[in-house]
Amino acid sequence: MTIEVLELLVEDLYLTGDAISENVWEDESLFGLELKDKLLLVLGLLGETILYHKTNISAEQPEVMMVHHRMAFVSISLFTVRLLQTLLPVEKASKVLQKSLLSALFLLSLDVPFSLEYPSIHEAVAAYLEQMSSENYSIYKQASEAAYSIECTCTFMIEVRKKGEKNLTELIELADQALRSLHYHQHLTLLQESIHICSNISKSAQADPLLHTGSQNVLLRLLAHPLLNIKAEAYRCCLEVVKGCLDIHNVAESVSSICHGIHFLLHPKVLYEIATFGLQEEKMR
């Protein structure tokens, strides 16, 4: 029934777009004010309906009911966003402040499956949300960046465990993105692998200068991390690399390049960070 009603409403949507001008939001006439109130009522009710189907999805329900609520949530959300696009220019969205509609758009912005299935609609949701609530939009942006960073973390860890030749440029770019969420998950293996890659890059004099710069930036972010346990682990890992490179057993090798692995710590910016700041916090002594 929900789908059949929406199919009828879609037909009305085109007629509504032809009959109502976007200037209705500035119309101060008696007719304009009455029409605007009715439009706001409709948008508010759509927002409440979206929230109803979103909040009623529960693992305790029979699967058929979960599917029903999800289909209704997606379908009504699509219609609502298209209605907004028809009637309300993005730059005028701040005039529509229904709490239910704002909450519905916020939930839609954070719905990853919805964003992947309907990317253009999701972009419109984000645009309206930005105009309607800077606070909610900021939360959405932070959540999106954290989710992308965690995705980069997973990709990075998969790539470093692959055997064979690795694309160091791609790995450093992934590490740079992955470190943005390190304070959330604190997966220290990410930190350790990043430092080992920085060490490996420093061994090659022929490496791209941009690659060296990228690896230095990753290292400096770890050495200056605001979380003390992460910062301490970065220094500990660097110490382990130095111990491995300067192991006395390596002296017996006729031509040893293993000591080149400490070059990543000898760049002026890195030495300055270590010498000037280091592990000075009381909790680390």
Side-chain angles (χ1 to χ4, degrees), residues 146-213:
Y148 176 70
S149 178
I150 292 172
E151 183 181 342
C152 288
T153 300
C154 296
T155 305
F156 175 85
M157 297 307 301
I158 291 171
E159 291 298 320
V160 296
R161 281 171 168 72
K162 285 183 179 178
K163 296 181 179 180
E165 186 176 349
K166 296 179 175 61
N167 186 331
L168 292 178
T169 300
E170 180 183 355
L171 285 177
I172 282 295
E173 291 175 352
L174 283 170
D176 181 62
Q177 292 294 331
L179 292 183
R180 300 174 191 274
S181 60
L182 182 58
H183 59 288
Y184 291 120
H185 53 74
Q186 299 190 35
H187 185 57
L188 296 182
T189 307
L190 165 66
L191 178 155
Q192 296 155 5
E193 294 290 355
S194 297
I195 288 178
H196 284 300
I197 289 173
C198 292
S199 174
N200 291 334
I201 290 173
S202 72
K203 296 177 185 178
S204 174
Q206 289 76 37
D208 186 344
L210 292 177
L211 183 57
H212 280 291
T213 301

Side-chain angles (χ1 to χ4, degrees), residues 51-280:
L51 292 174
Y52 169 79
H53 288 290
K54 179 66 174 179
T55 56
N56 275 276
I57 297 175
S58 170
E60 299 176 356
Q61 293 177 327
E63 184 178 357
V64 64
M65 289 303 299
M66 292 175 62
V67 171
H68 162 71
H69 282 302
R70 182 63 188 177
M71 288 182 63
F73 168 75
V74 172
S75 302
I76 297 169
S77 296
L78 289 172
F79 171 78
T80 301
V81 176
R82 286 169 179 154
L83 180 62
L84 283 172
Q85 290 177 308
T86 301
L87 297 176
L88 183 66
V90 172
E91 62 273 12
K92 298 180 182 180
S94 60
K95 296 181 180 294
V96 180
L97 296 175
Q98 267 88 347
K99 185 177 180 181
S100 61
L101 180 61
L102 177 59
S103 298
L105 292 177
F106 180 60
L107 288 178
L108 272 175
S109 71
L110 299 175
D111 194 301
V112 176
F114 184 88
S115 68
L116 295 175
E117 188 69 22
Y118 306 99
S120 61
I121 296 294
H122 183 261
E123 288 178 9
V125 169
Y128 280 109
L129 187 65
E130 183 178 15
Q131 294 294 319
M132 295 172 71
S133 172
S134 58
E135 180 181 358
N136 284 356
Y137 181 75
S138 177
I139 295 173
Y140 150 70
K141 289 294 291 182
Q142 292 175 24
S144 298
E145 290 167 2
Y148 176 70
S149 178
I150 292 172
E151 183 181 342
C152 288
T153 300
C154 296
T155 305
F156 175 85
M157 297 307 301
I158 291 171
E159 291 298 320
V160 296
R161 281 171 168 72
K162 285 183 179 178
K163 296 181 179 180
E165 186 176 349
K166 296 179 175 61
N167 186 331
L168 292 178
T169 300
E170 180 183 355
L171 285 177
I172 282 295
E173 291 175 352
L174 283 170
D176 181 62
Q177 292 294 331
L179 292 183
R180 300 174 191 274
S181 60
L182 182 58
H183 59 288
Y184 291 120
H185 53 74
Q186 299 190 35
H187 185 57
L188 296 182
T189 307
L190 165 66
L191 178 155
Q192 296 155 5
E193 294 290 355
S194 297
I195 288 178
H196 284 300
I197 289 173
C198 292
S199 174
N200 291 334
I201 290 173
S202 72
K203 296 177 185 178
S204 174
Q206 289 76 37
D208 186 344
L210 292 177
L211 183 57
H212 280 291
T213 301
S215 67
Q216 288 161 11
N217 289 338
V218 167
L219 178 62
L220 287 169
R221 286 174 62 188
L222 290 171
L223 294 177
H225 201 280
L227 291 186
L228 300 187
N229 62 319
I230 293 177
K231 184 176 182 178
E233 178 62 20
Y235 274 87
R236 188 202 66 78
C237 190
C238 288
L239 179 60
E240 291 301 316
V241 172
V242 171
K243 287 180 178 179
C245 291
L246 301 182
D247 194 302
I248 191 170
H249 298 295
N250 295 323
V251 176
E253 299 181 21
S254 57
V255 179
S256 177
S257 62
I258 193 169
C259 291
H260 294 168
I262 67 171
H263 287 177
F264 75 112
L265 295 173
L266 303 180
H267 187 275
K269 291 183 179 179
V270 176
L271 289 176
Y272 178 81
E273 174 66 32
I274 295 173
T276 305
F277 303 102
L279 296 178
Q280 298 179 1

